[in-house]
C-alpha cells in the first residue's frame, strides 16, 4: 500500500501497542494479580476432584495446569479488551495510520506476555502440589507452554477484539473460544502428561509439532480476517 | 506533513445509507464537506449523527452509497486516509492509566510523527496542562480530559477533523477558546465536522449546518443564520438538552 | 434459485427415503451387531452432511466477510443451522451404536468426539448470532471461518489423543453387499440436505425482502 504500510512499520506499531499494554499493566497490576489468583483457585478446586488419598490421580497434574491456563487466560483476555473498550481506545488504535492487523499483533503480544507471567507462577506450583516432575524435560515443557499459550491467545485475541461491540460479550467469549481451542488443550494436556509421566519425549515432540502448525495457521487467519471483522 | 502520500480538500458523502436489519440509522445522506469550512452536524438523539461519524471515521462501512476522501474511499486509501483523519469522540480515546504526556507520546509515535517530543510539549501548553503533564489522566476533570483529547486528535495536524460534542464539560472560557481554535483551523484549511447541542455557541462559527432527523438530511443550511429557530422548526421541538 | 431447487429435491428425497428401508432391510444382517448395525445407514450419511454443511458455511462466510455479499451470509446461516440439525442425528444415533457395541452410551471415540466438538462450534455460531446484537453477522462469519479451519486440527488431535489408549474399531469394513443400501442412503441424505438448505435459504431471502420492504416504506 503506502510506505507507512511497510513491514518495519507494521512491527513497530505492534511493539508500541504491546509496550503500552505492559506499561499500563505494570502500574495497576490489576489483571496480573486477579488472573494469577484465579488460576490458583482453579488449581485448588480441581485438586479436590483429582486427589485421592493424598496423591493426584494419573495425568491429573497436566490437566489441572492447562485448565488453569485456559480459564485464567479467558479472564485476562476479557479484562484486557474491557480496558480498551471503556474509553473506546480500541477505536483510536484502529484509526491509526497503520495496517490494522498490527493492532491485533500488538494486543496478542501483550496477552501472551501476561499469560507467561501467570504461568511462571503456576507451573512450579503445580509441580510442587502434585509432585509433577517439571524439571525432567524443561525445554520441551517450556516449548509446549509457549506454543500452546500463543495458540490459545491467537484465537482469543481475535475473538475478544471482535466481541468488543457485541452484547453479552462476557459469556460469549468462552462460548466461542473453548470449542475452537480444543486442539490446543488436547495437545497441551497430552504433551505435558507424557513429560510428567517420565516417558521419552517422542510423543511430546509430535504434540509440539501440531501446536506450531496450529499457531501458524490461526495467526495467519486472524491477521487476514482482523480488519474485515473489526469494520462494522 | 510527513511527506503524506495522500491529501484531499473535499469529503464527499454520496447516498450513504446504513441499516441494521429493518432498523435504519441513515437514509441516503448526501453532503459535501469542503476544506476551510466548519460544518455543524445537528439533530436530536437517534438521528444518525454518531453512525455518520463512525462511517466518516472509517470504523463502519455504509450499507449502500460511499464516502470519498478526495478521490479515494476509506477502503482504497487505508492507512493513508486515516493519517489525515483526527477524531475527538465522546469517549475521548485516552488511557486513564497513562499520564497526559504519555498519552500524547504514544499516539504521536503511533502516527509516526518525526518531531513527536516538541509537538507533545506544544500540545500540552495549548491544553493548559504543562503543569500536569506527568499526572495520570485518571485524576483529571472532564474539562481537562476534553482539552487533552482535543490536542491528541490534532497532534498529527489532520485534514479532516471530526468532533463529537466537543463542548461537553468545558467551562465558558475553555468553550470560547475551543471556538477560536476551530476558527483558526478553518483558516489553515482543515475540514471540520462538529456535532453539538449548544447552538448558541456555534451560531457564528458554522459555515454549513446539516440537520439530521430520523436518519435523513432534513436540511442543509448554507450560509448559516438563525440556527436555533431554524432547527426548532425542522426538528419540531426546542429540546436542546 | 432456491425455489427451483427445492421442489425436485424434496420429491426425490421423499421417494428415496420411502425406498431406503427396503434396501436397508435387504442388506445383509451384520453378525456381531445384529439389527443395530442398520443405524449405520443413517448415522454415517448424516455425519457426511454435517461436514459438508460446515464446509459450505465456512466458504460462504469467507465470501461474505471479504466480498460483503448479503446473499453469502444467508447461505452461511442456513448451513450453520443444518450443521446443528445433522449433528443432532449423528449424536443421537452414535450413542445407540455405542450402547450395543461397547455397552456404554458414550464412548470417547475419535470420530464421535470430533463431531461433538464441531457441533459445539456451530452451536456457538448460532448463540453468537442470536445474542450478539447488531453486527453479529460479521462476527459469526469470522467464527465460521475459524471453525472450518479447525476441522483437521480437531480430528487429528482427538485421533492422537485416543490412539494413546486401547483402540476400538468402530466402523467395520463395509461388506460389499451393504454398499448399495449405504450409497442409496447417502444420496437420499444429500437430497434432503439440498432441500432443507433451499427451504431455509428461501426463508432468509423472504426475511431480507421483508426488511427491504420495511426500509422502502420508510422512504
Amino acid at each position: 500500500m503506502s510506505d507507512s504500510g511497510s513491514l518495519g512499520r507494521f512491527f513497530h506499531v505492534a511493539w508500541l501497542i504491546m509496550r503500552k499494554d505492559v506499561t499500563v499493566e505494570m502500574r495497576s497490576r490489576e489483571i496480573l494479580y486477579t488472573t494469577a489468583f484465579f488460576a490458583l483457585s482453579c488449581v485448588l478446586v480441581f485438586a479436590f476432584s483429582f486427589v485421592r488419598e493424598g496423591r493426584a490421580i494419573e495425568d491429573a497434574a497436566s490437566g489441572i495446569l492447562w485448565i488453569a491456563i485456559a480459564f485464567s487466560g479467558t479472564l485476562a483476555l476479557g479484562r484486557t479488551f474491557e480496558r480498551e473498550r471503556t474509553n473506546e481506545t480500541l477505536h483510536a488504535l484502529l484509526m491509526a495510520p497503520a495496517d490494522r492487523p498490527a493492532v491485533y499483533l500488538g494486543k496478542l503480544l501483550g496477552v501472551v506476555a501476561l499469560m507467561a507471567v501467570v504461568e511462571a507462577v503456576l507451573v512450579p506450583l503445580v509441580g510442587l502440589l502434585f509432585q509433577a516432575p517439571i524439571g525432567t524435560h524443561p525445554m520441551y515443557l517450556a516449548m509446549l507452554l509457549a506454543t500452546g499459550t500463543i495458540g490459545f491467545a491467537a484465537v482469543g485475541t481475535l475473538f475478544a477484539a471482535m466481541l468488543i461491540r457485541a452484547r453479552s460479550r462476557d459469556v460469549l467469549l468462552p462460548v466461542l473460544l473453548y470449542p475452537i481451542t480444543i486442539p490446543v488443550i488436547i495437545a497441551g494436556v497430552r504433551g505435558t502428561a507424557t513429560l510428567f509421566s517420565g516417558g521419552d519425549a517422542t510423543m511430546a515432540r509430535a504434540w509440539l509439532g501440531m501446536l506450531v502448525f496450529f499457531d501458524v495457521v490461526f495467526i495467519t487467519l486472524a491477521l487476514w480476517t482482523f480488519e474485515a471483522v473489526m469494520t462494522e | 506533513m510527513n511527506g503524506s502520500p495522500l491529501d484531499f480538500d473535499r469529503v464527499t458523502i454520496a447516498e450513504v445509507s446504513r441499516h441494521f436489519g429493518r432498523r435504519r440509522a441513515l437514509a441516503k445522506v448526501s453532503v459535501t464537506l469542503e476544506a476551510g469550512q466548519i460544518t455543524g452536524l445537528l439533530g436530536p438523539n437517534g438521528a444518525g449523527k454518531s453512525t455518520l461519524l463512525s462511517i466518516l471515521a472509517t470504523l463502519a462501512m455504509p450499507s449502500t452509497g460511499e464516502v470519498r476522501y478526495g478521490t479515494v474511499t476509506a477502503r482504497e486509501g487505508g492507512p493513508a486516509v486515516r493519517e489525515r483523519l483526527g477524531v475527538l469522540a465522546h469517549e475521548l480515546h485516552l488511557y486513564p492509566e497513562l499520564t497526559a504526556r504519555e498519552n500524547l507520546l504514544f499516539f504521536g509515535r503511533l502516527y509516526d510523527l518525526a518531531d513527536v517530543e516538541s509537538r507533545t510539549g506544544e500540545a500540552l501548553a495549548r491544553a493548559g496542562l504543562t503543569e500536569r503533564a506527568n499526572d495520570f489522566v485518571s485524576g483529571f476533570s472532564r474539562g481537562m480530559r476534553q482539552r487533552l483529547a482535543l490536542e491528541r486528535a490534532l497532534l498529527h495536524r489532520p485534514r479532516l477533523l471530526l468532533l463529537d460534542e466537543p463542548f461537553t464539560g468545558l467551562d465558558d472560557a475553555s468553550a470560547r477558546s475551543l471556538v477560536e481554535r476551530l476558527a483558526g483551523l478553518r483558516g489553515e484549511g482543515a475540514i471540520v465536522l462538529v456535532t453539538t447541542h449548544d447552538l448558541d455557541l456555534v451560531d457564528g462559527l458554522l459555515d454549513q449546518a446539516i440537520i439530521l432527523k430520523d436518519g435523513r438530511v432534513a436540511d442543509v443550511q448554507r450560509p448559516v443564520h438563525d440556527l436555533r429557530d431554524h432547527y426548532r422548526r425542522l426538528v419540531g421541538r426546542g429540546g436542546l438538552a | 434459485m432456491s425455489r427451483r431447487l427445492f421442489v425436485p429435491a424434496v420429491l426425490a428425497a421423499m421417494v428415496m427415503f420411502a425406498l431406503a428401508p427396503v434396501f436397508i432391510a435387504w442388506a445383509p444382517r451384520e453378525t456381531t451387531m445384529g439389527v443395530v448395525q442398520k443405524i449405520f445407514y443413517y448415522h454415517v450419511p448424516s455425519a457426511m452432511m454435517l461436514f459438508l454443511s460446515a464446509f459450505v458455511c465456512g466458504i460462504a462466510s469467507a465470501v461474505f466477510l471479504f466480498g460483503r455479499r448479503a446473499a453469502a451470509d444467508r447461505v452461511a446461516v442456513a448451513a450453520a443451522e443444518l450443521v446443528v440439525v445433522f449433528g443432532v442425528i449423528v449424536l443421537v444415533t452414535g450413542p445407540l451404536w455405542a450402547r450395543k457395541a461397547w455397552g456404554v452410551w458414550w464412548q470417547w471415540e475419535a470420530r464421535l468426539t470430533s463431531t461433538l466438538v464441531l457441533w459445539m462450534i456451530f452451536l456457538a455460531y448460532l448463540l453468537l448470532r442470536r445474542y450478539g446484537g447488531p453486527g453479529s453477522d460479521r462476527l459469526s462469519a469470522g467464527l465460521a471461518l475459524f471453525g472450518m479451519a479447525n476441522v483437521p486440527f480437531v480430528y487429528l488431535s482427538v485421533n492422537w489423543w485416543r490412539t494413546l489408549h486401547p483402540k476400538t474399531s468402530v466402523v467395520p469394513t463395509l461388506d460389499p453387499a451393504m454398499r448399495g443400501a449405504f450409497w442409496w442412503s447417502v444420496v437420499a441424505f444429500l437430497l434432503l440436505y439440498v432441500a432443507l438448505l433451499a427451504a431455509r435459504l428461501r426463508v432468509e431471502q423472504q426475511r431480507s425482502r421483508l426488511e427491504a420492504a420495511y426500509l422502502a416504506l420508510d422512504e
Side-chain angles (χ1 to χ4, degrees):
Chain A
M1 212 172 286
S2 62
D3 59 342
S4 62
S6 74
L7 207 61
R9 171 109 178 94
F10 185 88
F11 286 109
H12 182 64
V13 167
W15 161 252
L16 283 173
I17 292 171
M18 187 201 97
R19 203 180 55 176
K20 183 271 299 172
D21 275 1
V22 171
T23 308
V24 167
E25 183 52 34
M26 295 271 272
R27 297 239 165 102
S28 71
R29 301 208 185 101
E30 178 206 345
I31 301 180
L32 183 62
Y33 286 160
T34 50
T35 302
F37 181 82
F38 181 72
L40 300 190
S41 313
C42 286
V43 170
L44 191 68
V45 168
F46 284 105
F48 291 126
S49 329
F50 296 124
V51 174
R52 296 271 176 286
E53 291 160 13
R55 280 196 73 86
I57 58 175
E58 192 199 356
D59 292 350
S62 69
I64 292 169
L65 175 64
W66 281 91
I67 289 169
I69 289 172
F71 283 13
S72 62
T74 313
L75 206 69
L77 282 164
R79 287 298 307 155
T80 303
F81 279 91
E82 194 58 31
R83 238 178 219 168
E84 296 282 9
R85 201 181 70 84
T86 30
N87 292 303
E88 284 183 2
T89 42
L90 189 66
H91 283 170
L93 298 182
L94 291 174
M95 282 189 285
D99 284 328
R100 282 177 170 160
V103 176
Y104 165 81
L105 189 63
K107 296 304 292 180
L108 171 61
L109 292 173
V111 169
V112 169
L114 194 65
M115 287 178 73
V117 176
V118 173
E119 284 165 22
V121 180
L122 195 60
V123 173
L125 195 85
V126 167
L128 197 78
L129 291 177
F130 302 105
Q131 295 89 40
I134 57 171
T136 45
H137 295 287
M139 275 312 290
Y140 279 115
L141 182 61
M143 275 153 74
L144 276 173
L145 285 167
T147 51
T149 305
I150 291 170
F152 183 83
V155 179
T157 303
L158 183 81
F159 286 1
M162 72 183 197
L163 283 172
I164 213 166
R165 61 195 160 88
R167 274 193 281 128
S168 31
R169 67 189 80 82
D170 322 351
V171 282
L172 283 175
L173 179 60
V175 162
L176 307 191
L177 186 53
Y178 294 155
I180 295 279
T181 51
I182 280 199
V184 174
I185 302 299
I186 294 178
V189 170
R190 298 319 314 167
T192 312
T194 57
L195 295 182
F196 283 177
S197 65
D200 71 320
T202 325
M203 213 46 220
R205 257 202 300 277
W207 288 116
L208 200 56
M210 172 186 279
L211 282 172
V212 169
F213 198 46
F214 185 97
D215 292 359
V216 170
V217 168
F218 280 88
I219 289 176
T220 310
L221 205 56
L223 288 171
W224 186 49
T225 51
F226 184 70
E227 175 149 23
V229 295
M230 293 310 288
T231 323
E232 282 172 57
Chain B
M1 213 166 286
N2 299 332
S4 171
L6 182 135
D7 206 355
F8 47 87
D9 52 15
R10 174 179 294 157
V11 175
T12 319
I13 302 162
E15 300 268 298
V16 164
S17 296
R18 172 78 188 173
H19 44 80
F20 303 95
R22 65 177 65 166
R23 193 179 71 77
R24 190 190 28 223
L26 286 176
K28 297 196 170 161
V29 171
S30 296
V31 201
T32 307
L33 311 175
E34 304 272 355
Q37 284 190 352
I38 301 177
T39 303
L41 182 61
L42 313 169
N45 291 335
K49 287 175 296 185
S50 49
T51 309
L52 186 57
L53 279 182
S54 49
I55 289 173
L56 284 169
T58 74
L59 292 170
M61 283 177 81
S63 305
T64 57
E66 63 175 16
V67 175
R68 289 200 170 267
Y69 305 82
T71 55
V72 300
T73 63
R75 213 176 179 186
E76 292 157 3
V81 164
R82 297 199 289 274
E83 189 170 17
R84 311 298 299 123
L85 184 71
V87 178
L88 173 64
H90 184 66
E91 300 295 342
L92 297 187
H93 296 172
L94 295 171
Y95 290 99
E97 305 89 345
L98 299 181
T99 66
R101 184 190 300 281
E102 285 169 336
N103 265 293
L104 293 176
L105 285 175
F106 172 66
F107 282 103
R109 288 181 183 130
L110 215 52
Y111 279 77
D112 204 18
L113 303 180
D115 46 351
V116 60
E117 299 278 346
S118 63
R119 280 204 207 188
T120 297
E122 291 162 22
L124 286 167
R126 263 197 301 272
L129 291 169
T130 309
E131 305 279 293
R132 305 286 306 266
N134 296 321
D135 290 356
F136 292 121
V137 170
S138 54
F140 285 10
S141 71
R142 172 79 198 186
M144 289 160 78
R145 289 179 196 212
Q146 189 84 27
R147 296 202 306 267
L148 181 63
L150 177 73
E151 293 308 325
R152 186 204 80 71
L154 291 171
L155 198 63
H156 56 291
R157 295 174 196 145
R159 171 66 73 173
L160 174 62
L161 182 61
L162 307 171
L163 304 155
D164 193 4
E165 297 289 344
F167 298 103
T168 313
L170 295 187
D171 56 31
D172 287 351
S174 311
R176 272 195 303 279
S177 82
L178 175 58
V179 167
E180 277 165 33
R181 188 81 197 281
L182 293 180
L185 289 166
R186 165 172 53 195
E188 292 165 22
I191 307 171
V192 181
L193 183 71
V194 52
T195 75
T196 183
H197 280 108
D198 201 333
L199 299 187
D200 290 335
L201 252 172
V202 296
D203 204 350
L205 181 71
L206 300 181
D207 302 296
Q208 172 175 248
I210 302 164
I211 300 177
L212 280 185
K213 192 184 171 189
D214 298 330
R216 64 188 72 234
V217 177
D219 189 36
V220 178
Q221 202 192 23
R222 189 176 167 185
V224 179
H225 53 85
D226 300 327
L227 191 55
R228 180 174 280 275
D229 291 341
H230 191 65
Y231 181 90
R232 190 175 294 144
R233 245 190 338 272
L234 280 168
V235 177
R237 66 189 127 114
L240 303 172
Chain C
M1 182 206 81
S2 57
R3 175 182 265 169
R4 259 179 287 142
L5 224 70
F6 178 67
V7 175
V10 154
L11 289 176
M14 276 165 64
V15 172
M16 293 207 59
F17 271 103
L19 292 175
V22 181
F23 289 106
I24 292 169
W26 277 349
R29 202 180 154 96
E30 212 258 338
T31 44
T32 48
M33 293 288 289
V35 77
V36 176
Q37 183 270 339
K38 309 263 184 215
I39 289 171
F40 171 84
Y41 297 106
Y42 279 19
H43 177 76
V44 177
S46 299
M48 287 171 153
M49 293 311 121
L50 173 140
F51 281 95
L52 172 68
S53 200
F55 198 66
V56 169
C57 180
I59 297 288
S61 296
V63 172
F64 172 62
L65 214 48
F66 296 103
R68 289 195 169 253
R69 298 233 177 88
D73 183 50
R74 294 197 285 268
V75 173
V77 70
E81 282 183 9
L82 288 175
V83 173
V84 175
V85 169
F86 283 97
V88 169
I89 301 178
V90 175
L91 293 172
V92 167
T93 51
L96 291 177
W97 177 285
R99 183 83 182 100
K100 176 71 182 175
W102 307 298
V104 288
W105 287 108
W106 183 263
Q107 172 80 0
W108 290 98
E109 183 272 321
R111 262 169 276 217
L112 203 54
T113 310
S114 308
T115 308
L116 177 67
V117 174
L118 192 61
W119 184 73
M120 282 186 67
I121 290 171
F122 282 86
L123 210 56
Y125 176 100
L126 296 183
L127 285 172
L128 175 60
R129 275 198 99 98
R130 178 79 179 75
Y131 300 109
S136 51
D137 48 352
R138 303 190 64 70
L139 309 187
S140 55
L143 176 66
L145 212 55
F146 271 58
M148 188 177 70
N150 209 13
V151 170
F153 287 104
V154 170
Y155 187 74
L156 204 64
S157 60
V158 172
N159 223 344
W160 283 7
W161 166 50
R162 290 302 303 149
T163 46
L164 296 178
H165 292 257
K167 195 180 158 102
T168 38
S169 101
V170 192
V171 183
T173 40
L174 200 55
D175 186 329
M178 297 174 179
R179 277 186 197 148
F182 172 68
W183 286 108
W184 182 274
S185 294
V186 170
V187 174
F189 268 91
L190 185 63
L191 287 165
L192 177 69
Y193 175 72
V194 171
L196 287 175
L197 190 68
R200 187 63 185 80
L201 212 50
R202 187 145 175 78
V203 173
E204 282 298 309
Q205 276 165 353
Q206 300 286 32
R207 210 169 55 112
S208 71
R209 226 168 271 164
L210 187 67
E211 278 169 6
Y214 264 97
L215 289 171
L217 198 68
D218 247 13
E219 297 289 326

